[in-house]
Amino acid sequence: MQLMKDLKIALVGNPNVGKSTVFNALTGSNQQVGNWAGKTVERKVGTVKRSDVNIELIDLPGTYSLTAYSQEEIITREYILRENPAAIMALVDASNLERNLYLVLQILELTPKVVIGLNMLDLARSSGRNIDAGKLAQWLKVPVVEIIAAKGDGLSDFLDAALVMAGTSPQAAISVNYPPAVEEKIVAMEDVLRPTVWAQRYPLRWLALKRLERDAELGKEWNSIANTNSVADATPACCDVGDAVTYELRSSTELPGEDLLQTFAASGWDHEQFEMAFADAKYSFISEIIAEFVTETPLAKPSLTDTLDRLALSPVWGYPILIAVLALVFWVSFIASAPLGDLISQGMTWLANMLVPILRLAHAPVLLQELVKNGIFAGVGAVLSFVPQMALFFVFFSLLQDSGYLARAAFLGDRFMQLMGLHGKSFFSLATSYGCNVPGIMATRTLEDPKDRLITMLLNPLIPCVPRLGVMSAVVAAFFPGSRGAVAMLSLLGISGITLVLSALFLRKSVIKTEKSSFVMELPLYHIPTLRNTLLPAWQKTYAFLRRAWTYIFAASVIIWSLSTFPLGVPLNQSFAGKLGGLLAFIGHPLGFDWRIMVAIIFGFAAKETTLSTLGILYGVTANASHTIAQVMTASMSSLNAFTFLVFYMLYIPCIATVVTTYKESGSLGWTLFGVGYNLIVSFIIAWLIFHGGLMLGWH
Amino acid sequence: MERMLHHLLPGEKARVLHIAGGGALRMRMMDMGIVPGTELEVVRRAPLGGPMQLRVKGYYLAMRRGECAKITVDQPEPKQPLAGR
């Protein structure tokens, strides 16, 4: 029997070229989604079985270039250099050939084992562009396969070509002609670098180009090589391994080629000049070869994208359409889905009620029965009831992203995000948070700059989600009847909006310390999303949420239940949670909160919509109707107290699901804790200002 | 005639001469195909001072006006079709 061979093949391409379509079609459901180690970029691996090979297909993040300016770029090139895949499938958008080939040329500098998949030829043709794929293959000296990813045409051939490439020893790749003045400098740098350890690991020309650009990642890399090497060949006499400072100094002064770089810089050739010259040469090369195999015929009528954009980006209709789209997404995902969510929580209650008699029959202790019913099933059930809304939202999210409308929303929303120092793409994430913070935070994945992502992530919890708005409106209705209610609600939203804007500016300036984000974004052509491309990512994201629900949220539910149950047999105010509320009453005192409010605030951490029922128990209301509870509260609280509570409630730590999501998406416990602390402090300060301001103005 | 890109109106075409500034932003612009010599067309300007939509190398790119202000372009002399001027 023949042994199965294992092969690694990587899929590379610009964003929006249909890479995930190709990946999903080739791997089907055999894929694993995770994050790249230490990065906040999604990592997708799938397996494909061919007669005698097991292919590990890796979907590298969509990127425009392979410099060291973004996480996606670094991941892509590190993967190609370190993992040395047997072949690279480069997906190229035929309707956008110049910019796509720019990436292909950079990949060819790393490895010649490239196969090009020329996608969207149909779109290119309909925009009057005819491409001779055979000539493209001749010019680039790599195989070119024509495909239509959306229909699945040519995908099998594309993979076969990659397998053939994997089995042959490749010829030398084509190289771009640099102007003589640049070429001689590249060669000089090659000579300097040839004897170094670097040259054993990486293609020499690429190394020289990157060194001339003063590539930051390469510098870091050198430091680590220098370190491991000196440790490896450490003779007893040399090297105190612990002396990191010496290494740091030595390696930073001994980065190869430094002298040469200084000489070049003195003659006006600094690293930016090189970056410019290299980009320029690549684009000139592309325009030269493109003239050989592309024929353009100008179109008489505007393309579909032009027509749609005339509407979607129109000064008159752009914003109304955006609002209508957002309203539809919101209504379906967060409001119309409510019965489904209720069904799940009822199902969980039903399951718990089924399970408890069985436990009783098995003579399980009463405490265990209680834990199962009120701890696990109630707690996890409360979070699971959000699954339908998440799933629906993620379906819309994929639809918007795949169709190309999400980029239009960013284009229109950018003006407002600019006021907050944010990127246009933050707009959709923040808007989503009004429905639920969890998908809002997950939507930050579309942001490329990690700092923009982090800031947007930390801002999300300040936005009141649908459950919070529900509790708020019930309390507002009880305390501020009639038209005063609308004023109270609007002022609450106003407070949240102002807090949001000021926090965005504060976080960027003082905490994360980064420049205002830049906005250079492709507006892709509109596409009709495929069913698989819509449902698969939606399922993957929902599943990720479910997995978290079963681990972290399960643990948190048990903890909260224990706090409110022990010591056994006491009323809630005597339980640990009640005592905690009593202990924390001194914090609530400056805000006019009594211990009951403090307890409700602590429990709100599990899920914010439970706040009213907690208050109901504390105020001794047996009926579970939110309005009754709020009515009872009016007897023991002034309207100023209530308003202060609402402000605090709106802004303090969001639910546990949000915190867990922030942790998973940011990959940093430190920033997650910072976010929690920031929310607590900000909500306290603002609530304090409101309360004392109100007292001074004589409002009761 | 030399102009700054953010002054161009929808429908106007020009050729890139120079990109000011440096670092990640300029690199990003170059990755997106904006290098000296590239032909650009302003498709539209978002209302209220929002970003500009450009046509570059056959695709659409959105950039803020502040970023467009870093790009010097060369534009063929207008033919002065307005008799009134």
Side-chain angles (χ1 to χ4, degrees):
Chain A
M1 206 184 99
Q2 202 180 0
L3 270 176
M4 293 284 271
K5 254 197 314 178
D6 284 330
L7 271 187
K8 276 184 190 163
I9 292 182
L11 191 58
V12 189
N14 279 191
N16 314 308
V17 288
K19 213 156 53 64
S20 51
T21 314
V22 172
F23 181 75
N24 291 341
L26 287 176
T27 61
S29 52
N30 292 323
Q31 37 177 284
Q32 282 177 303
V33 187
N35 266 14
W36 289 91
K39 299 276 191 331
T40 55
V41 178
E42 201 167 72
R43 180 181 195 271
K44 289 203 277 185
V45 194
T47 46
V48 190
K49 284 200 170 60
R50 282 289 158 113
S51 53
D52 60 340
V53 276
N54 254 334
I55 303 161
E56 183 190 285
L57 188 65
I58 184 131
D59 187 17
L60 291 171
T63 175
Y64 295 107
S65 174
L66 295 182
T67 48
Y69 283 109
S70 82
Q71 296 191 81
E72 286 80 1
E73 295 174 354
I74 295 171
I75 288 168
T76 302
R77 70 183 222 195
E78 300 263 283
Y79 183 85
I80 297 173
L81 287 170
R82 297 239 172 95
E83 301 291 320
N84 198 17
I88 289 178
M89 297 165 78
L91 201 60
V92 164
D93 176 356
S95 65
N96 191 349
L97 210 52
E98 285 95 325
R99 209 199 55 218
N100 277 261
L101 290 181
Y102 180 71
L103 178 68
V104 172
L105 286 183
Q106 295 192 51
I107 297 168
L108 285 171
E109 285 170 354
L110 293 176
T111 170
K113 293 194 249 175
V114 176
V115 179
I116 290 180
L118 197 55
N119 193 18
M120 305 201 224
L121 269 172
D122 45 344
L123 262 175
R125 261 181 223 125
S126 70
S127 63
R129 210 165 214 225
N130 253 313
I131 299 168
D132 185 338
K135 278 197 182 155
L136 170 62
Q138 278 173 18
W139 274 106
L140 292 182
K141 296 186 192 162
V142 292
V144 176
V145 182
E146 295 184 19
I147 61 175
I148 300 174
K151 292 181 190 154
D153 293 356
L155 292 185
S156 193
D157 298 343
F158 189 21
L159 188 64
D160 287 342
L163 284 173
V164 170
M165 177 59 81
T168 50
S169 52
Q171 316 163 335
I174 52 116
S175 60
V176 175
N177 301 319
Y178 294 99
V182 179
E183 183 64 37
E184 71 184 26
K185 294 182 177 66
I186 299 173
V187 171
M189 184 54 87
E190 283 179 346
D191 290 341
V192 172
L193 297 177
R194 193 167 289 116
T196 65
V197 253
W198 263 341
Q200 295 158 21
R201 303 183 177 214
Y202 304 128
L204 189 58
R205 170 143 292 230
W206 177 79
L207 207 55
L209 295 176
K210 290 293 139 184
R211 191 66 191 105
L212 290 171
E213 288 176 348
R214 281 189 182 275
D215 187 273
E217 282 299 304
L218 206 58
K220 277 190 222 158
E221 168 89 26
W222 176 258
N223 285 359
S224 69
I225 297 176
N227 279 348
T228 49
N229 265 26
S230 34
V231 174
D233 57 34
T235 52
C238 127
C239 304
D240 176 8
V241 181
D243 194 356
V245 180
T246 319
Y247 282 132
E248 192 69 30
L249 278 174
R250 220 193 56 180
S251 48
S252 58
T253 48
E254 285 181 12
L255 216 55
E258 191 58 40
D259 295 346
L260 196 57
L261 283 175
Q262 301 281 0
T263 322
F264 290 153
S267 61
W269 280 90
D270 62 356
H271 68 280
E272 292 196 341
Q273 203 63 38
F274 279 113
E275 280 180 347
M276 188 85 135
F278 297 155
D280 202 27
K282 288 194 184 86
Y283 273 114
S284 313
F285 176 76
I286 292 167
S287 355
E288 269 168 44
I289 63 168
I290 264 190
E292 303 289 330
F293 57 82
V294 176
T295 45
E296 307 247 17
T297 38
L299 286 183
K301 60 174 193 178
S303 72
L304 176 71
T305 295
D306 288 333
T307 316
L308 286 176
D309 271 347
R310 207 160 288 165
L311 212 64
L313 300 180
S314 121
V316 182
W317 293 109
Y319 288 108
I321 290 174
L322 177 62
I323 291 168
V325 169
L326 287 179
L328 176 76
V329 172
F330 255 69
W331 184 78
V332 175
S333 332
F334 300 123
I335 296 169
S337 72
L340 286 172
D342 292 345
L343 211 64
I344 288 190
S345 40
Q346 279 162 17
M348 290 294 278
T349 316
W350 181 81
L351 259 179
N353 288 338
M354 292 292 288
L355 210 62
V356 167
I358 296 171
L359 286 172
R360 205 177 293 144
L361 276 179
H363 297 289
V366 180
L367 199 62
L368 184 67
Q369 298 174 22
E370 279 287 303
L371 171 68
V372 167
K373 187 176 176 215
N374 297 330
I376 298 170
F377 276 80
V380 175
V383 179
L384 282 187
S385 64
F386 285 98
V387 166
Q389 69 173 41
M390 305 249 175
L392 280 169
F393 172 79
F394 289 134
V395 167
F396 277 111
F397 183 68
S398 311
L399 279 176
L400 291 175
Q401 197 171 23
D402 268 24
S403 64
Y405 188 74
L406 204 60
R408 271 72 188 180
F411 182 80
L412 291 170
D414 182 66
R415 186 70 196 94
F416 308 103
M417 292 299 105
Q418 218 181 328
L419 296 175
M420 302 165 63
L422 295 176
H423 191 279
K425 285 183 180 171
S426 300
F427 173 76
F428 188 75
S429 154
L430 295 180
T432 302
S433 270
Y434 282 97
C436 177
N437 287 183
V438 172
I441 290 170
M442 287 168 88
T444 59
R445 280 189 198 177
T446 53
L447 285 152
E448 284 139 48
D449 184 77
K451 286 181 173 173
D452 282 346
R453 274 198 71 181
L454 186 59
I455 294 174
T456 312
M457 225 179 262
L458 293 173
L459 289 175
N460 271 291
L462 296 171
I463 295 174
C465 54
V466 165
R468 263 185 273 179
L469 290 168
V471 171
M472 283 158 64
S473 54
V475 176
V476 162
F479 280 89
F480 308 92
S483 59
R484 286 171 59 212
V487 176
M489 204 66 196
L490 282 178
S491 44
L492 283 168
L493 289 176
I495 289 168
S496 127
I498 292 168
T499 313
L500 189 70
V501 173
L502 294 180
S503 298
L505 298 173
F506 169 75
L507 288 173
R508 186 172 296 272
K509 235 197 174 116
S510 327
V511 186
I512 299 172
K513 293 198 177 117
T514 166
E515 294 167 36
K516 258 188 6 191
S517 78
S518 60
F519 182 77
V520 180
M521 182 190 70
E522 181 184 3
L523 289 167
L525 298 180
Y526 286 103
H527 288 289
I528 296 171
T530 63
L531 195 64
R532 185 176 5 214
N533 273 5
T534 310
L535 295 184
L536 199 62
W539 158 246
Q540 282 162 349
K541 291 195 179 81
T542 312
Y543 177 70
F545 175 76
L546 271 171
R547 230 177 28 205
R548 287 167 203 172
W550 285 120
T551 50
Y552 295 91
I553 299 170
F554 172 84
S557 305
V558 171
I559 290 170
I560 299 248
W561 173 83
S562 310
L563 283 177
S564 59
T565 308
F566 296 103
L568 285 173
V570 295
L572 191 53
N573 62 336
Q574 293 297 311
S575 68
F576 287 128
K579 286 193 178 136
L580 202 57
L583 275 177
L584 294 179
F586 80 95
I587 296 174
H589 186 69
L591 305 178
F593 294 169
D594 63 7
W595 67 271
R596 285 177 288 207
I597 298 282
M598 290 312 288
V599 173
I601 284 171
I602 293 167
F603 279 92
F605 185 52
K608 281 213 166 170
E609 71 281 8
T610 61
T611 303
L612 273 182
S613 53
T614 315
L615 283 171
I617 298 168
L618 294 171
Y619 280 97
V621 185
T622 40
N624 209 6
S626 50
H627 279 280
T628 332
I629 296 162
Q631 293 298 346
V632 173
M633 284 167 68
T634 55
S636 57
M637 263 176 144
S638 73
S639 56
L640 178 59
N641 282 135
F643 193 78
T644 312
F645 167 67
L646 286 174
V647 169
F648 189 84
Y649 175 77
M650 177 174 69
L651 299 175
Y652 89 105
I653 341 175
C655 61
I656 182 123
T658 308
V659 175
V660 170
T661 309
T662 307
Y663 173 60
K664 281 287 168 184
E665 292 288 316
S666 67
S668 154
L669 187 62
W671 282 116
T672 310
L673 293 176
F674 171 84
V676 169
Y678 182 78
N679 277 322
L680 284 174
I681 291 166
V682 163
S683 56
F684 184 88
I685 292 172
I686 295 175
W688 190 88
L689 287 176
I690 301 271
F691 185 59
H692 288 270
L695 284 180
M696 262 166 53
L697 294 173
W699 174 28
H700 289 292
Chain B
M1 187 178 62
E2 274 189 28
R3 289 175 73 183
M4 301 313 284
L5 181 58
H6 67 300
H7 289 142
L8 262 60
L9 295 175
E12 288 192 288
K13 291 180 186 173
R15 188 187 292 269
V16 176
L17 279 181
H18 173 71
I19 308 169
L25 178 60
R26 191 174 70 167
M27 197 64 222
R28 182 70 198 267
M29 288 179 184
M30 293 195 295
D31 290 342
M32 300 306 275
I34 301 182
V35 289
T38 303
E39 296 216 19
L40 297 170
E41 180 190 343
V42 174
V43 179
R44 58 169 59 81
R45 301 154 66 105
L48 312 166
M52 295 172 82
Q53 182 186 0
L54 309 170
R55 190 200 301 268
V56 190
K57 296 187 189 292
Y59 80 99
Y60 293 119
L61 184 68
M63 267 207 293
R64 282 187 186 149
R65 289 185 200 188
E67 284 144 15
C68 291
K70 291 185 187 299
I71 299 174
T72 317
V73 294
D74 181 39
Q75 205 187 17
E77 290 291 333
K79 288 179 195 134
Q80 302 198 331
L82 295 174
R85 292 181 68 175

